[in-house]
Amino acid sequence: MDPLKEWLSGQNGGLVLDVATGRGYSASLLAESLKSYKSILGIDISRENLCQSKKASKDNRVLLLGMRAEAMGFANNTFDTVTVINSLHHFQYAKESLEEMKRVLKPNGNFIIFEMVQDGLNEKQKSHRDAHHWWGAVDRLNGVFHRETFRNDELRKMVDMLGLSKVKFINFNEETEIDNKEVIETMEKTIDLYIEKIPINIDRQPLIDEGRKLKERFHEVGFAWATILITIGTK
Ligand SMILES: C[S@@+](CC[C@H](N)C(=O)[O-])C[C@H]1O[C@@H](n2cnc3c(N)ncnc32)[C@H](O)[C@@H]1O
């Protein structure tokens, strides 16, 4: 089982803040996995993603707000649990955002980061990483901040600098059916979608070729989800 879900199933979340909640995946994961919670407040800078999330959720204890991770409008020590799931490498100010998360977390509250890493991967996982980095390059050309994923040591260093207590790092390799046909088809569709997104005012061909090579790689080498570094600590 996903070690984050397993850990959440034993936790009373209280007031939960999900930073960069996106289209609803992480808020529903929290709602479904936590033993109990009072409310889950999801913040994000994308109005479009928040609208999608609102449509997806039927739970009236899941609330959404437009706000930047690096400059939150909450008082110190407000939340019992703060989470950032699949998002840290999307932040222009990752370090500042983590500091904000700590600021708004109550003493003894739980601090959770769930983030894929770029190192220590097998060849199939590198297919995921390389595709992810290629999507990031296309996003950046469209003015969307999306850096390459962090290395294990970079993430651990940022966490160390926060000075949390009882920190646990877990490297999680999702047991995908390696070379799962459906996963590969979805990834290929995402590559095609991103090829459409390559701006027309640049020489598009090198990026298109790279996208096509990635699709070939999925078949030749295979595909598996990259390792996730899960961080669980308290303030
Ligand atoms: C890959 S999505 C992840 C969403 C969600 N947590 C999930 O697991 O599905 C990354 C999200 O980060 C958001 N984001 C990027 N920069 C942000 C910032 N500075 N403050 C808040 N949200 C931000 C984006 O709008 C996007 O919704």
Side-chain angles (χ1 to χ4, degrees):
M1 186 188 180
D2 173 338
L4 178 61
K5 288 186 187 165
E6 193 176 345
W7 181 82
L8 289 168
S9 69
Q11 298 299 314
N12 298 310
L15 293 178
V16 182
L17 175 69
D18 183 37
V19 177
T21 196
R23 298 176 179 190
Y25 167 78
S26 48
S28 8
L29 179 142
L30 291 164
E32 283 159 22
S33 309
L34 277 164
K35 187 173 164 195
S36 74
Y37 61 93
K38 282 194 190 119
S39 63
I40 297 170
L41 174 59
I43 64 164
D44 202 282
I45 47 165
S46 161
R47 191 175 289 269
E48 199 186 320
N49 288 356
L50 288 172
C51 285
Q52 291 262 350
S53 182
K54 202 172 172 65
K55 274 191 218 153
S57 175
K58 305 264 175 291
D59 186 338
N60 59 12
R61 288 181 298 159
V62 175
L63 309 163
L64 301 165
L65 206 57
M67 196 181 278
R68 302 190 73 90
E70 68 273 20
M72 297 187 204
F74 305 119
N76 295 349
N77 311 327
T78 300
F79 297 96
D80 300 291
T81 307
V82 293
T83 59
V84 60
I85 298 176
N86 300 322
S87 295
L88 205 57
H89 67 285
H90 290 262
F91 294 170
Q92 195 166 359
Y93 304 102
K95 199 173 134 280
E96 291 80 356
S97 301
L98 292 174
E99 281 163 2
E100 273 293 84
M101 286 173 61
K102 185 182 173 195
R103 180 184 69 76
V104 302
L105 182 64
K106 287 180 189 167
N108 295 317
N110 285 317
F111 190 109
I112 292 144
I113 308 171
F114 186 95
E115 182 73 11
M116 75 179 260
V117 290
Q118 63 157 279
D119 56 331
L121 307 178
N122 64 37
E123 286 306 308
K124 291 172 200 261
Q125 290 178 310
K126 283 180 192 166
S127 299
H128 180 206
R129 175 200 63 192
D130 293 352
H132 205 100
H133 289 178
W134 181 81
W135 297 325
V138 176
D139 279 343
R140 290 195 294 279
L141 285 170
N142 286 301
V144 175
F145 187 88
H146 190 172
R147 52 156 282 158
E148 288 197 350
T149 50
F150 292 102
R151 294 189 314 268
N152 268 284
D153 67 316
E154 289 175 303
L155 276 175
R156 283 168 182 249
K157 196 171 160 202
M158 278 196 288
V159 173
D160 286 346
M161 281 167 68
L162 285 172
L164 297 167
S165 329
K166 299 182 204 154
V167 176
K168 261 197 304 192
F169 292 111
I170 305 164
N171 273 116
F172 165 47
N173 289 302
E174 193 167 340
E175 281 176 35
T176 27
E177 258 178 64
I178 306 283
D179 303 335
N180 178 316
K181 244 180 121 193
E182 263 174 53
V183 174
I184 290 183
E185 269 170 27
T186 309
M187 289 302 131
E188 284 185 311
K189 279 190 193 145
T190 314
I191 298 269
D192 290 339
L193 203 84
Y194 265 77
I195 285 179
E196 297 295 313
K197 285 192 187 186
I198 301 171
I200 49 170
N201 60 344
I202 61 159
D203 176 11
R204 305 175 79 234
Q205 204 52 49
L207 269 175
I208 293 175
D209 291 344
E210 219 182 300
R212 292 193 179 135
K213 275 198 197 121
L214 282 164
K215 291 209 284 185
E216 283 166 21
R217 184 189 164 97
F218 297 161
H219 293 281
E220 283 161 12
V221 179
F223 181 95
W225 301 112
T227 306
I228 303 285
L229 180 65
I230 302 174
T231 306
I232 302 173
T234 56
K235 177 165 158 183

